[in-house]
Amino acid sequence: MSRKNIRLIILFAIITIVGIFSFQLFWVKKAFNLQEKQFNERVHVALTNVVEEVQRLNKDSSSIYEPVKQISSNYYLAATNDTLHPYLLESLLSNEFKERNLNSPFEYVVYDCFTDSIVFGNYVDLEAETKSLVYRASNRDKWDKVSHYFGVYFPSKQLYIINDMGIWVVSTIFLFFVILFFSYTIWVILKQKRLSEVRTDFINNMTHELKTPISTIALSTEVLSNPNITKDPERLSTYAKIIKEESERLKNQVDKVLQMATLDKKRVQLEMKNVNLHKVIEKTAEGFSLILNANEGEINLSLKATNPIVYGDEMHLTNILFNLVDNAIKYSQSKPIVNISTENYQGGIYLRVRDNGIGMTREEQKHVFEKFYRVPTGDQHDVKGFGIGLNYVRKMVKQHHGKIQLKSEPKSGSTFRIFFPKSKNGK
Ligand code: ADP
C-alpha cells in the first residue's frame, strides 16, 4: 500500500473516530438532559402534591400561586401557608417520592418565615432507609415569600440520573474500547509498515554492498587469468592487492550480517572470561592504522585505567570497539581523528571513543541505537552501512551489564562512552 493511501486511511479513521465520539457525546448529553427534565418534573409534581396535602390536612382552602420553585439544579423550595410538622412532611415527601419512583436520597429543611431560619432538617435515604439530622442546607438560598416553606435537596441527583442511564454508560464504555482497539490497530499497521520499509532498504543495501566487492574480485581475476600478466609484475601485484582488499571488505560485510543474526536471538551465549580491554583496544587500533593512513587520519590512545580487566566475551568486546571506531572513521568528512580512552570508575571501567566527525542532531541521537536506523541523507548514499552496528553495540553492552551513552553535536563530533561494571566474581 502506498504511503499516500495509508495517510488517507488514517485521516478517514481519525475523522470517523472523532465523528462517532462526538455523536455519542451529543446523544449522551441529550439523554442526560431529558432524564434531568423528567426528574425535575416528577419532583415538581410530587412537591405540589405534598403542598396540597398539607393544605388539605390543615383545612386550608386558599390556593397558593406557584407553590414550588427550583432554586438550583438539585434544590427545590415549596411554600405552605401554615406551620409544618417535620415528621408529617417527611412521611408525605417519602410517600410521594416512592410513588413517583424517585429513589434518590434527599435532604429536607423546614424554614420559619418569621425568623427566616431552619426549624428542622433531615436526610432521608429511601433505599437504605437511613436518616440523619442535617442542617447542611442552611446556607442555601432562602425564599422571599412571606409564608412558611420547606426545601428539598437531592445531594446525589446527577449520580442518580447517570445510574438511570445504564444503557448509555455501557454503550459509551463499549465505544471507548472500540476506539482503543481501532487506534491500536492503526499503530500496529504503521509500525509494520515502517519495519517493512526498513527491511526492504536493508536488503537493497546489503545486496549492493555484497555485489560490489564480488564484481571487483571477478574483474580482477579475469585480468589475472590473462597469461600476459606475468610480464607485468607491478600490475599483477596491484590486482592481487585489490582482491585482498575487496575480500577483506566482503568478510566485514558478512560479519555484519552475522552480527545481525546474533541480534535476532533473544539471548546470545557469551564466552565469558577475564579480558584485558587495553589489549583489545591496541589490537583494534592497529587494524585500523592502514585505513587511517590512507585517509590522513590518526588514532590516539589514552589508556589510563589501572585495572583494564573486563569480565566478558573477547570477540564481542572486539566487535563493539570495531563498530565504534569504524563509525568514527566512516562519519567524518575531513581527516578523521579518533581518540580512545579508558579510566577506572567505582571499580568498573569507562571506555570512550571520541571522533571529530559529522556528529548527530538530538533527534538523530534518539534513534541511532534502533535496528536498521540510519541517519537520513536524502538520495546521497556516500557512506555505506546497514544500520545495525550501534544496535548490536548497545545489545552487547547490555549483555555485559554495562551502559552506553552518546554525546554528539552536529559538525563537531561524537563521543560514545561505555561503562563496564566490576564483575561479580571479584575479578
Ligand atoms: P551503519 O551501518 O549505518 O553505520 P550504525 O548502527 O553503526 O549503522 O549507525 C547508525 C547511524 O548512526 C549511521 O547511519 C550514522 O548516520 C549514525 N552514526 C553512527 N556513528 C556515528 C558517528 N560516530 N558520527 C556520526 N554519525 C554516526
Side-chain angles (χ1 to χ4, degrees):
M1 209 185 293
S2 77
R3 195 177 279 263
K4 203 175 145 209
N5 281 352
I6 287 212
R7 279 215 189 117
L8 268 180
I9 288 176
I10 290 172
L11 186 75
F12 281 129
I14 290 172
I15 292 175
T16 319
I17 287 178
V18 172
I20 292 177
F21 207 70
S22 315
F23 271 116
Q24 179 77 4
L25 273 184
F26 172 77
W27 285 113
V28 168
K29 181 96 182 61
K30 215 170 162 124
F32 185 87
N33 288 345
L34 199 71
Q35 290 273 354
E36 190 174 25
K37 203 170 156 214
Q38 280 176 1
F39 186 94
N40 290 342
E41 276 168 10
R42 280 190 287 169
V43 173
H44 210 90
V45 173
L47 293 183
T48 312
N49 284 353
V50 170
V51 169
E52 277 170 8
E53 190 62 19
V54 169
Q55 278 193 293
R56 199 180 59 76
L57 290 172
N58 286 335
K59 299 196 171 52
D60 182 346
S61 57
S62 65
S63 67
I64 306 171
Y65 175 67
E66 287 188 2
V68 180
K69 184 178 166 190
Q70 184 169 2
I71 299 294
S72 67
S73 147
N74 39 9
Y75 189 48
Y76 307 81
L77 289 177
T80 57
N81 276 341
D82 288 296
T83 49
L84 267 174
H85 190 286
Y87 288 115
L88 169 69
L89 176 67
E90 185 181 312
S91 99
L92 290 176
L93 286 173
S94 300
N95 284 345
E96 277 295 332
F97 289 162
K98 261 188 207 158
E99 215 164 277
R100 281 176 176 72
N101 223 2
L102 285 166
N103 294 322
S104 171
F106 65 92
E107 290 170 14
Y108 69 92
V109 280
V110 181
Y111 288 92
D112 181 340
C113 72
F114 300 116
T115 57
D116 207 13
S117 61
I118 290 176
V119 189
F120 186 82
N122 207 2
Y123 170 84
V124 184
D125 186 345
L126 289 174
E127 283 193 326
E129 303 214 333
T130 52
K131 295 174 186 181
S132 56
L133 280 180
V134 288
Y135 292 94
R136 266 181 46 195
S138 59
N139 290 332
R140 293 214 168 79
D141 288 352
K142 306 265 171 54
W143 209 354
D144 51 7
K145 258 197 170 153
V146 191
S147 67
H148 295 274
Y149 63 96
F150 64 90
V152 179
Y153 175 67
F154 294 92
S156 42
K157 176 182 166 187
Q158 271 77 9
L159 207 70
Y160 176 78
I161 293 178
I162 290 171
N163 271 347
D164 247 19
M165 291 170 53
I167 185 82
W168 285 103
V169 175
V170 173
S171 73
T172 309
I173 292 174
F174 275 131
L175 186 72
F176 181 73
F177 276 110
V178 168
I179 290 173
L180 208 74
F181 288 134
F182 200 48
S183 316
Y184 178 70
T185 316
I186 289 179
W187 181 76
V188 170
I189 291 176
L190 283 179
K191 211 176 132 190
Q192 290 298 333
K193 167 128 183 69
R194 196 175 154 249
L195 211 71
S196 94
E197 275 173 6
V198 144
R199 269 181 204 275
T200 318
D201 269 2
F202 168 74
I203 290 168
N204 290 343
N205 212 344
M206 189 178 73
T207 332
H208 180 257
E209 289 283 288
L210 297 182
K211 251 170 89 182
T212 318
I214 291 172
S215 333
T216 322
I217 292 172
L219 272 175
S220 307
T221 43
E222 216 167 280
V223 175
L224 290 183
S225 56
N226 186 338
N228 292 335
I229 194 87
T230 43
K231 290 175 196 151
D232 189 349
E234 209 171 296
R235 231 175 132 215
L236 192 137
S237 93
T238 310
Y239 280 100
K241 205 172 142 215
I242 290 176
I243 292 176
K244 187 170 176 278
E245 274 169 12
E246 289 301 303
S247 55
E248 191 66 31
R249 206 169 116 193
L250 201 57
K251 183 183 163 288
N252 281 345
Q253 308 292 15
V254 173
D255 275 351
K256 283 224 161 157
V257 179
L258 288 179
Q259 276 179 17
M260 191 189 66
T262 321
L263 281 179
D264 281 340
K265 281 190 212 154
K266 279 231 151 29
R267 209 174 161 79
V268 184
Q269 206 58 44
L270 298 182
E271 276 180 39
M272 302 295 268
K273 60 176 188 200
N274 283 341
V275 181
N276 187 330
L277 194 63
H278 286 177
K279 286 219 170 107
V280 172
I281 295 171
E282 278 155 7
K283 216 168 75 188
T284 313
E286 211 181 290
F288 278 103
S289 58
L290 259 178
I291 182 165
L292 278 166
N293 280 344
N295 289 344
E296 292 179 54
E298 57 188 74
I299 192 159
N300 305 313
L301 307 186
S302 161
L303 310 180
K304 291 195 196 125
T306 44
N307 176 11
I309 306 299
V310 170
Y311 187 66
D313 183 311
E314 188 168 356
M315 182 194 75
H316 289 295
L317 289 175
T318 312
N319 283 345
I320 289 174
L321 203 68
F322 181 92
N323 278 314
L324 294 182
V325 179
D326 189 37
N327 280 349
I329 298 169
K330 263 189 345 190
Y331 300 106
S332 67
Q333 264 165 344
S334 52
K335 300 166 189 167
I337 300 174
V338 187
N339 294 301
I340 306 179
S341 63
T342 61
E343 78 186 272
N344 282 118
Y345 179 76
Q346 288 184 356
I349 187 164
Y350 269 129
L351 162 69
R352 280 192 193 81
V353 178
R354 187 153 57 86
D355 64 58
N356 62 339
I358 56 173
M360 288 165 258
T361 62
R362 266 174 188 275
E363 193 49 37
E364 289 160 2
Q365 288 174 49
K366 275 191 216 157
H367 300 289
V368 282
F369 292 105
E370 287 168 16
K371 195 169 172 182
F372 299 132
Y373 178 84
R374 303 201 68 217
V375 172
T377 52
D379 284 338
Q380 227 183 316
H381 278 298
D382 39 1
V383 184
K384 304 289 175 213
F386 300 142
I388 49 177
L390 288 182
N391 184 254
Y392 166 86
V393 169
R394 185 178 63 175
K395 183 158 179 176
M396 279 306 141
V397 169
K398 251 192 186 166
Q399 289 226 355
H400 281 83
H401 308 289
K403 272 188 197 133
I404 181 158
Q405 281 173 319
L406 164 62
K407 260 194 198 156
S408 187
E409 283 270 329
K411 296 200 180 101
S412 55
S414 315
T415 306
F416 288 87
R417 187 176 78 167
I418 300 178
F419 178 73
F420 291 110
K422 190 172 157 179
S423 79
K424 283 186 198 94
N425 69 357
K427 60 140 211 249

